[in-house]
Amino acid sequence: MTSPVDNVLSRLERPRERQRGQWSARCPAHDDRSPSLSVRETDDGRVLLHCYSGCSTAQVLGALGLDLADLFPPRERAPGAGAAPERRRRLLTAGQALELLDAEALLVASSAATLAAGHALTDDDRDRLLTASARVAVLRDEVRA
Ligand SMILES: [Zn+2]
């Protein structure tokens, strides 16, 4: 199985490794002439994306055809799973949950800006907003667990 960072890098145009675990590439979310996108792999296998021209993570992911979940390594399966039902394990750290929440909040804010500017939301935008609210609900349950 490919790691999250390999998956992201495979979709970028000629990413260049700047140092170990850190790459730069042309940002797919805007007309990028210089490599504005920084890609970093954290010690625990997550991928951090940052566009120095100001694209949001959600915009970059959209341009790559990826989802937020694609930035996180697959959950570890407990060895011997399938026997007695185990105590539920937490899927995310609080920090990861907040990071995801932040991305969903950005999406909501950008939809609000679209509406405030007098534009209508597309069906896709509406679907994505519903997904955002569902995700926030998942995060809430996750943190409560
Ligand atoms: Zn960008």
Side-chain angles (χ1 to χ4, degrees), residues 27-32 36-37 51-56 60:
C27 173
H30 75 275
D31 184 20
D32 197 6
S36 311
L37 185 72
C51 171
Y52 286 97
S53 293
C55 301
S56 69
V60 175

Short mmCIF file of all heavy atoms in Angstrom, two decimals, residues 27-32 36-37 51-56 60, ligand 1:
data_model
loop_
_atom_site.label_atom_id
_atom_site.label_comp_id
_atom_site.label_asym_id
_atom_site.label_seq_id
_atom_site.Cartn_x
_atom_site.Cartn_y
_atom_site.Cartn_z
N CYS A 27 1.94 24.34 -7.48
CA CYS A 27 0.63 24.15 -6.85
C CYS A 27 -0.42 23.87 -7.93
O CYS A 27 -0.54 24.63 -8.89
CB CYS A 27 0.26 25.40 -6.07
SG CYS A 27 -1.42 25.32 -5.43
N PRO A 28 -1.18 22.78 -7.79
CA PRO A 28 -2.18 22.44 -8.81
C PRO A 28 -3.45 23.29 -8.69
O PRO A 28 -4.28 23.27 -9.58
CB PRO A 28 -2.49 20.97 -8.51
CG PRO A 28 -2.23 20.83 -7.04
CD PRO A 28 -1.11 21.79 -6.72
N ALA A 29 -3.56 24.06 -7.60
CA ALA A 29 -4.82 24.78 -7.36
C ALA A 29 -4.81 26.20 -7.92
O ALA A 29 -5.83 26.87 -7.92
CB ALA A 29 -5.13 24.80 -5.86
N HIS A 30 -3.67 26.68 -8.35
CA HIS A 30 -3.65 27.98 -9.01
C HIS A 30 -2.60 27.94 -10.13
O HIS A 30 -1.84 26.99 -10.23
CB HIS A 30 -3.38 29.12 -8.01
CG HIS A 30 -1.95 29.22 -7.55
ND1 HIS A 30 -1.43 28.49 -6.51
CD2 HIS A 30 -0.92 29.97 -8.03
CE1 HIS A 30 -0.15 28.80 -6.36
NE2 HIS A 30 0.18 29.69 -7.26
N ASP A 31 -2.60 28.96 -10.96
CA ASP A 31 -1.67 29.02 -12.08
C ASP A 31 -0.29 29.36 -11.51
O ASP A 31 0.03 30.52 -11.31
CB ASP A 31 -2.15 30.08 -13.06
CG ASP A 31 -1.26 30.12 -14.30
OD1 ASP A 31 -0.55 29.12 -14.55
OD2 ASP A 31 -1.27 31.14 -14.99
N ASP A 32 0.46 28.33 -11.25
CA ASP A 32 1.69 28.48 -10.48
C ASP A 32 2.92 28.43 -11.39
O ASP A 32 3.12 27.47 -12.11
CB ASP A 32 1.76 27.31 -9.46
CG ASP A 32 2.76 27.59 -8.36
OD1 ASP A 32 3.31 28.70 -8.32
OD2 ASP A 32 2.98 26.68 -7.55
N SER A 36 5.20 26.76 -5.55
CA SER A 36 4.69 27.40 -4.33
C SER A 36 4.20 26.40 -3.30
O SER A 36 3.88 26.77 -2.19
CB SER A 36 3.49 28.30 -4.65
OG SER A 36 3.75 29.14 -5.72
N LEU A 37 4.07 25.16 -3.75
CA LEU A 37 3.46 24.19 -2.84
C LEU A 37 4.53 23.42 -2.09
O LEU A 37 5.47 22.89 -2.68
CB LEU A 37 2.59 23.19 -3.64
CG LEU A 37 1.82 22.20 -2.77
CD1 LEU A 37 0.67 22.90 -2.06
CD2 LEU A 37 1.31 21.05 -3.61
N CYS A 51 0.42 25.98 0.46
CA CYS A 51 0.66 26.78 -0.74
C CYS A 51 1.04 28.18 -0.30
O CYS A 51 0.27 28.85 0.38
CB CYS A 51 -0.58 26.82 -1.63
SG CYS A 51 -0.40 28.01 -2.98
N TYR A 52 2.23 28.63 -0.71
CA TYR A 52 2.70 29.95 -0.31
C TYR A 52 1.96 31.07 -1.03
O TYR A 52 2.13 32.24 -0.70
CB TYR A 52 4.22 30.07 -0.51
CG TYR A 52 4.95 29.29 0.55
CD1 TYR A 52 5.40 28.01 0.30
CD2 TYR A 52 5.14 29.83 1.82
CE1 TYR A 52 6.04 27.27 1.29
CE2 TYR A 52 5.78 29.11 2.81
CZ TYR A 52 6.23 27.82 2.54
OH TYR A 52 6.85 27.11 3.52
N SER A 53 1.14 30.72 -2.03
CA SER A 53 0.34 31.76 -2.67
C SER A 53 -1.04 31.86 -2.05
O SER A 53 -1.87 32.64 -2.50
CB SER A 53 0.20 31.49 -4.17
OG SER A 53 1.46 31.61 -4.77
N GLY A 54 -1.30 31.04 -1.05
CA GLY A 54 -2.53 31.21 -0.28
C GLY A 54 -3.67 30.25 -0.58
O GLY A 54 -4.76 30.42 -0.06
N CYS A 55 -3.45 29.24 -1.42
CA CYS A 55 -4.51 28.27 -1.63
C CYS A 55 -4.72 27.48 -0.33
O CYS A 55 -3.77 27.21 0.39
CB CYS A 55 -4.15 27.28 -2.74
SG CYS A 55 -3.85 28.07 -4.32
N SER A 56 -5.97 27.14 -0.06
CA SER A 56 -6.24 26.36 1.14
C SER A 56 -5.92 24.89 0.87
O SER A 56 -5.84 24.46 -0.28
CB SER A 56 -7.71 26.50 1.53
OG SER A 56 -8.51 25.83 0.56
N VAL A 60 -6.19 22.68 -2.65
CA VAL A 60 -5.12 21.87 -3.22
C VAL A 60 -5.59 20.41 -3.34
O VAL A 60 -5.39 19.76 -4.37
CB VAL A 60 -3.84 21.96 -2.34
CG1 VAL A 60 -2.77 21.01 -2.86
CG2 VAL A 60 -3.31 23.39 -2.34
ZN ZN B 1 -1.74 27.47 -4.76
#
